[in-house]
Structure formats: structure tokens, C-alpha cells
Amino acid sequence: VNKKENYFKTNTSENYTRITYKLNIKSFNSLERIKLSFYIECMFIDNFSSVSKIYQEILGKHISNFDIDYNIDFIEDFLIIEFGLYTNSKEEFINLINNTINNLEFNQDNFDLTKKRSMIDLLLREENFNYFKRCFLDNILVFNYYDYDKINDIESFNFNEYQEVINNLDFSNYTIN
């Protein structure tokens, strides 16, 4: 099969640009925070993964040759979401991230696939005691949830709630590094 490759020259001394959002989640209880972590993962897949529109735009406009880094942390009553990229087009990258945040897309097929993958991971976790223990400790230390994850919990996640929860988050508080 003949396939033409996409290639462009890039500067190897690109700067790393990071935009960090601080979201107040004080009103979320422990189980809602666990759901939120799943919903945020779905949001990342739908909007910031290597198959997303923003990534294709980053490649197409030669903003960078790298994937977008993204990460979340739960710190007390705040959810910290970080996006980063090696680029010398800082303003363009920041504008793309903010535009994507303000126009999020939600994909039912990705949601269902992520949900199934989570259930499979949960079933496999039960076979590995150390992994199971680590996830249980995460529930306690990160989410203040004194129980282990269950299939019923994951089954209760639904697409409409995903959209509603994500759309109600306030992304107005951010910094750029």
C-alpha cells in the first residue's frame, strides 16, 4: 500500500506552554467526584486526544508536532486541569484550548467505549491485589470515598449526565505558564 506521509520541519527548541484551569467542586460529594473524574476522561478523549479536531488543527497549522498533554488533580475542593504543548505558537495554542473548552463536543460512542473499558479494567483489577489496593486507597485519599469501585457504579454513569456535569463546570479561572 502506498501512503503519503505527513511531514513538516519543527524547531527542536520549542517552549512548553501550559494552561491550567482551577475549578471549584466544593458542592460535589465523594461519589460525584469519582463520576467527575470519569466524565473528565471522556471529555479529554472527545476533545483533546490525538484523534480530536484540535489535534488535527495543531498539526495542520504547524503549531506543534506533539500530542497535547493533559492531566487532572483533585486538591481539596478544587479540580485542577492542565493542558500543555511544546510550541512556539503560544497564543494560538491558548486560543485553541479556550475555544475548544467553550465549544465542547460529546460523543456517545466514545462515552460507551470508555465505560466498557472501565468495566473491563475493574474486572481485571480484582485479579491483581496490589492494583486493587492502590485504587481503593485512591478512593479514600483523593475522593474521601471509603469503598471500592463496583460495576454498578460504572453502569450508573450516563451520557446525558456527562454532558450536563461538564457543561456546568466553570472554566473561567485559569493561568498560563
Side-chain angles (χ1 to χ4, degrees):
V1 177
N2 288 332
K3 182 180 179 206
K4 189 175 183 178
E5 292 184 24
N6 292 332
Y7 173 79
F8 68 91
K9 291 183 181 181
T10 184
N11 183 349
T12 57
S13 63
E14 292 178 330
N15 295 311
Y16 190 78
T17 299
R18 178 181 307 135
I19 182 169
T20 304
Y21 295 89
K22 182 179 177 184
L23 289 70
N24 187 333
I25 57 167
K26 187 174 188 166
S27 65
F28 287 67
N29 66 34
S30 298
L31 187 55
E32 289 170 335
R33 290 178 187 211
I34 289 174
K35 280 186 177 184
L36 178 60
S37 69
F38 175 82
Y39 293 156
I40 291 291
E41 179 184 347
C42 292
M43 180 192 81
F44 287 158
I45 293 167
D46 286 344
N47 295 279
F48 301 99
S49 69
S50 59
V51 295
S52 66
K53 287 181 183 178
I54 188 174
Y55 181 67
Q56 298 308 314
E57 195 167 344
I58 285 170
L59 289 179
K61 290 184 176 180
H62 306 286
I63 295 170
S64 182
N65 197 26
F66 299 98
D67 289 345
I68 300 170
D69 296 328
Y70 44 82
N71 186 47
I72 66 169
D73 283 310
F74 288 84
I75 301 173
E76 296 180 10
D77 290 330
F78 295 95
L79 171 62
I80 309 300
I81 301 177
E82 298 176 327
F83 298 98
L85 186 71
Y86 285 99
T87 182
N88 287 326
S89 302
K90 180 178 181 174
E91 291 302 318
E92 235 178 319
F93 171 63
I94 297 302
N95 288 337
L96 281 173
I97 292 291
N98 280 325
N99 287 338
T100 301
I101 289 290
N102 291 326
N103 300 291
L104 291 170
E105 295 185 3
F106 302 94
N107 183 299
Q108 176 84 47
D109 291 336
N110 287 344
F111 178 85
D112 292 339
L113 185 61
T114 303
K115 192 171 167 179
K116 287 177 185 175
R117 192 177 308 124
S118 295
M119 285 189 239
I120 292 168
D121 287 347
L122 182 58
L123 292 172
L124 294 175
R125 180 187 312 166
E126 294 173 1
E127 295 176 12
N128 182 334
F129 179 73
N130 287 330
Y131 185 56
F132 180 83
K133 182 175 67 172
R134 184 177 49 211
C135 293
F136 178 63
L137 289 174
D138 273 352
N139 280 356
I140 294 170
L141 298 174
V142 175
F143 301 109
N144 200 29
Y145 183 67
Y146 290 84
D147 204 352
Y148 57 91
D149 298 324
K150 298 178 219 58
I151 292 290
N152 291 347
D153 294 335
I154 297 170
E155 286 175 338
S156 74
F157 300 166
N158 73 71
F159 186 72
N160 291 332
E161 183 182 48
Y162 158 51
Q163 291 175 300
E164 183 181 335
V165 167
I166 297 300
N167 281 328
N168 286 324
L169 294 173
D170 179 8
F171 286 92
S172 63
N173 187 11
Y174 64 91
T175 61
I176 299 167
N177 312 41

